[in-house]
Structures are given as structure tokens and as C-alpha cells.
Amino acid sequence: MGESRYDRTPIPEETKDERSATFGEILHAYTKEEAILEAQRCLQCQMPFCVQACPITQDCRGYITLIAQDKFDEAAVLTLRDNPLSSVLCKTCYHYCEEDCVMGGKGVPIAIRHLKRAALEHGNSNLLYVPSAPRQERIAVIGGGPAGLMAAWELAVRGYSITVFEEQPFLGGQVDTIPKYHLAGDELDTDLARFKSLDVTFRLGAKAGTDYTPETLLKDGYLAVYVAIGASDPHAAGVPGEHLPGVFPAIQFLLAVNKGPESLFGRKGRKVVVIGGGDVAMDAARSAVRMDATGDVTVIYRKTKADMPADDEEVGGGEIEGVRFLFERAPVQILGTAQVTGLVVQAMRAGPPDGQGRPTSVPVPGSEETIPCDTVIVAVGERADIAGLPTELNFSLSSHPWPQGTKEDWMTDIDGVFASGGKSVVYAMAAGTAAANAIDAYVSKKKGRPSTRRPDAFGAAEPPSPPVGYGGPSWHL
Ligand SMILES: Cc1cc2nc3c(=O)[nH]c(=O)nc-3n(C[C@H](O)[C@H](O)[C@H](O)COP(=O)(O)OP(=O)(O)OC[C@H]3O[C@@H](n4cnc5c(N)ncnc54)[C@H](O)[C@@H]3O)c2cc1C
Ligand code: SF4
Ligand code: SF4
């Protein structure tokens, strides 16, 4: 425990000097003793606000209780029972649970995400999921990101036969772009190894809209199709010069850092400018620092530091590692002929609120300046790539970048085809759960039987119930 019950047991981490030179993980696991101390700070609230804040209703209070009693094997089982991507989430989840932890009102919230990691690392997490009796009913999932994988798991433990169609030669979706200093790289494989007994087939390199469509899958005998293709198409910065060699969309850059080709960013001494103020911009800037100790990295953002949508921890991490920030600057033009030579930016200042009362920023006339650079990374958001998919699906795309069905249960305008996604890994998983429940209800109705609840994923006779005191979700998808 820290100084008092209200202080967190410190999480071991890389020293500030070590960080910027390597992609090694910044945070290290608690020892067993540290994990027990941290778990013993938990008040075991009768009303578990932490569980209510978790989009997948992970029984975190339950695994914390078990860790406090030195029962790491049991804590690992409890964690994995609700959460098939635990190894990924214990390092990447934005820990919505901790925001609602009552200890946060008095001191520092319990390290709920980090204790999940302790449960898996110190308990036996080398387990296999157990399917219910096979149903001989095939469901197709398009997209092998967190939403698609969660839906596949939910349906496969109920005994359905699942095929996941994925455009890329690997699974994971945007999880593959998360830098290795957060996620070492083999966590998804560790999670998927527990799927081995489930009837889930992965068809990699199979793109919807080119190789097949949801309609052709229905004609091929799949009873329902879940479209979980996320938002993989990067927005452009919308300035002249964006076509030049040396300009990269952030997600392409981050994917190449993790999976290759290494040549994408091979040369040393690069002067890099990242456009954007969100978490993806921070990931790109902090990765660029690690790619090239001899270069320099600048982030430009059109509003103030306080307006940045990126997590404070990410911005602070970038500052520690040597990223330079230029606030209230917007890109105007990328300069160069055969290669980028500079970025022209213009100063911005706060403008009048827009029609909906939101703050705006306006350019300051005559304030242009050029930042010399040879690389520009554009991190201004992504949208769905729905090329080749039938317009009859009539996806909703207005309030989120991923395609979503317009019906209450996220069915699209084509009967039996569902679509959704999520703003983070755990929200995408919650969307996958909701889609799986809707698909089970749809198929069950067609077959004239009641819909099913998810059985215990490790084969226990009783399906899992929400923890005592749980009063329903405190969030909305
Ligand atoms: C750089 C970066 C860092 C992030 N860091 C975090 C983090 O630390 N924590 C966190 O919680 N969230 C993070 N996120 C967000 C999180 O990764 C996403 O919210 C989540 O992955 C969305 O899941 P999804 O399944 O809806 O979509 P995706 O993850 O995008 O998965 C969609 C899948 O569908 C496939 N696909 C697309 N089109 C087709 C097609 N036509 N046919 C077949 N397959 C197709 C894609 O290849 C992809 O595998 C990060 C995102 C980015 C970009
Ligand atoms: S809200 Fe915090 S203190 Fe209460 S049960 Fe959850 S983790 Fe423990
Ligand atoms: S999955 Fe995320 S939100 Fe849920 S308990 Fe774990 S860390 Fe918290």
C-alpha cells in the first residue's frame, strides 16, 4: 500500500530516461505482494460503481476480493469468464471503472486495470473456453477487431458455428496500431489461444465488398451476419501537398511501426511534424521519438492544451519523452517537390461559439510560419471504408465513424445483417456483446425457440449472474 489507504501502491514503471529510447513496455506488472496490498485498499462497496462503469460488466470487485485473499488462480478465472480479451484490456483499457471508483473521491482510485494484469500474470490464465452443445447454425462476422471477436466468442460459447472474415492477413483491427510501449504485441494471440475449443474459423485476407458481401454470405447459408469493420479510412488534413512522399496517415504509420515494413520510416535524423491533438496523434508522436533518437518531433494542434482530446497521461508522456507541442496552430500547406521540406502553419485564436454553442477557433491573418520538416504524420481521425458494400444496408454514420445498423437492435435495412463498433476496445467489445444477443434473439425467433443467455464460458452448470449490488450500466454505447 502507499503512504495511506488513500494512496495507490506504486505501479513499477520504466525510468523517464529509458522510455524514449525503446519500445519496451512503460508499465510493469505488480509483484504478488504489491497486488495484494493494492487489492486490500478496496472497500468492497455494496453498490459496485466500478462494475457499473465497465462497458462489459467485468466483475472487477470480485477479482479484487480474490487477489486480496491471495487467490490469483480464482481471480484469473473470474476475469476471463466475462472478458475474452483480458490480456489486451489489462494493458490498454481506458479503465472507465477507475473513474467511478469511490476511492477516487477520497484519494487515488484502486488500480483496477493493473490488478486485472496481476490476476492473469500470477494466476493460471492458461485456460480454454468450453462451448455449449453444437447448434450446427452458422453465423458470419465481418471484421476481426474487438467488436467482431467479442461477438464471435459470445455466439461460439452458446454453440453457434462462427466464421470471422477479415480483410487483413492478421486479426486485431485497430489494436494492431497500439504502440508496443503500451501493448508488447503477443497479448491478442494469448487471448485467442483460449478460443481453441470453440467453433470459430478465421478467414484472413477476405475483404467484404470485394470478395463477398453480407447478402452473398446469407445466400451461402449463414443465418445472420455481423458487420464490425470499424473505421479504417484515415481523414486527410485537407491541405495542398498531402500527396508528397514523407506524408503518412497516422494509422498507416503506427501499423508499419508494429508490423512493418520497417522501411516506411527507415532514415535517421528525421524532423517530424504530427498534425492532431487526440490519442492517435500522441501515439504517433511518441512512436516517432522512439523510432529515431537523432530526430525531433513536433505536434501541432489547432486549439489550446486544455482543449486537447488526448488523455493527460499521453500528453504528459510525450512531454517527458521530448515531444515539442505547438498549440493554436493549423496546417495550411505541406511544402516540397520530391519530398516534404516543410509545413506552413497559421496561428489560431478562440472564435465565437458555433450554432450549437460549441467553441470554435479562427485563423489569425498574416500569422503564417514554416516549420522545416521532412515527415508529416496526419492524425485527424478516421472514417469507415464501406466501398463495395450494398447501399441497401443504409448504415448510420452520422454520430460515429463506424457503420451501424439503424434499427433498435442495430439490424441494418437488410434482414439478418447487423452492424456496430465502439470508441475504444472495451466499448467495441460491449457492442459485440449487444450484437451477439440480438443475433441470438433473431435466429432463435426464426427457429421458434426462446433466445439464450451466455452460458458460463468455462462450462459451469449455472450461467454467470451480475455481481450482488450491481444496478445496471451507468454508461451508454
Ligand atoms: C492508434 C490507436 C490507438 C488506440 N489505442 C487504444 C487504447 O490504448 N485503448 C483503447 O481502448 N482503444 C484504443 N484505440 C481504439 C480501439 O482500438 C478501437 O476503438 C477498437 O479497435 C474498435 O474496434 P472495432 O472492432 O469496432 O473496429 P476495428 O478495431 O477497426 O476492427 C475492424 C476490423 O474490420 C476489418 N475490416 C475493415 N473493413 C473490412 C472489410 N471490408 N472486409 C473485411 N474486414 C474489414 C479491419 O481490418 C479490422 O480488423 C486506439 C485506436 C488507434 C487507431
Ligand atoms: S468502487 Fe472502488 S473501492 Fe468500491 S468496490 Fe469498486 S474498486 Fe473497490
Ligand atoms: S475492462 Fe476496462 S473498464 Fe472494465 S473493469 Fe477492466 S479496466 Fe475497468
Side-chain angles (χ1 to χ4, degrees), residues 138-143 148 151-152 155 160-165 208-209 212-229 389-390 393 395 403-405 409-420 432 435-436 438-440 442-443 446:
R138 294 194 302 150
I139 311 288
V141 172
I142 305 176
L155 291 164
Y160 288 97
S161 173
I162 312 299
T163 308
V164 177
F165 296 84
Y212 56 91
T213 66
E215 285 164 306
T216 61
L217 294 176
L218 290 174
K219 282 196 190 114
D220 285 350
Y222 290 97
L223 296 177
V225 179
Y226 177 40
V227 180
I229 60 174
L389 291 174
L393 288 162
F395 291 128
Q404 194 148 295
D409 58 358
W410 295 339
M411 204 198 288
T412 64
D413 286 5
I414 297 185
D415 190 55
V417 181
F418 299 75
S420 62
I439 288 170
D440 176 70
Y442 169 82
V443 173
K446 283 205 144 181

Side-chain angles (χ1 to χ4, degrees), residues 89 91-96 113 141-149 165-168 170-179 182 203 205-210 212 226 228-232 250-251 254 279-281 283-284 314 382 385-387 389 402 420-429 431:
L89 274 183
K91 296 182 181 179
T92 61
C93 187
Y94 294 132
H95 44 73
Y96 306 100
R113 184 188 78 186
V141 172
I142 305 176
L149 293 174
F165 296 84
E166 166 56 51
E167 164 184 14
Q168 297 290 341
F170 38 77
L171 296 165
Q174 290 190 350
V175 170
D176 294 317
T177 60
I178 298 177
H182 284 316
R203 293 266 310 272
K207 182 173 165 64
T210 306
Y212 56 91
Y226 177 40
I229 60 174
S232 55
I251 51 172
L254 288 164
D279 286 321
V280 176
D283 284 345
E314 291 292 328
E382 294 84 37
D385 173 7
I386 53 170
L389 291 174
W402 56 83
S420 62
K423 65 180 179 182
S424 64
V425 175
V426 74
Y427 268 99
M429 289 168 68

Side-chain angles (χ1 to χ4, degrees), residues 178-201:
I178 298 177
K180 289 194 191 304
Y181 55 84
H182 284 316
L183 193 66
D186 53 1
E187 294 84 353
L188 185 67
D189 291 340
T190 304
D191 282 332
L192 292 180
R194 299 187 199 97
F195 282 45
K196 222 160 72 192
S197 313
L198 303 178
D199 185 0
V200 182
T201 306

Side-chain angles (χ1 to χ4, degrees), residues 273 275 300 331 333-335 341-345 369-373 376:
V273 178
I275 302 173
I300 64 154
Q333 184 180 1
I334 301 170
L335 303 176
T341 56
L343 177 71
V344 181
V345 297
E369 60 181 312
T370 298
I371 308 172
C373 61
V376 173

Side-chain angles (χ1 to χ4, degrees), residues 88-109:
V88 169
L89 274 183
C90 74
K91 296 182 181 179
T92 61
C93 187
Y94 294 132
H95 44 73
Y96 306 100
C97 50
E98 293 178 24
E99 277 162 37
D100 282 16
C101 169
V102 295
M103 283 296 273
K106 305 171 188 211
V108 187

Side-chain angles (χ1 to χ4, degrees), residues 17 27 40 166 179 187 238-239 261 264 336 366 389 429 434-435 465 467:
D17 294 339
L27 300 183
Q40 286 175 345
E166 166 56 51
E187 294 84 353
V239 296
L264 188 79
L389 291 174
M429 289 168 68
S465 322

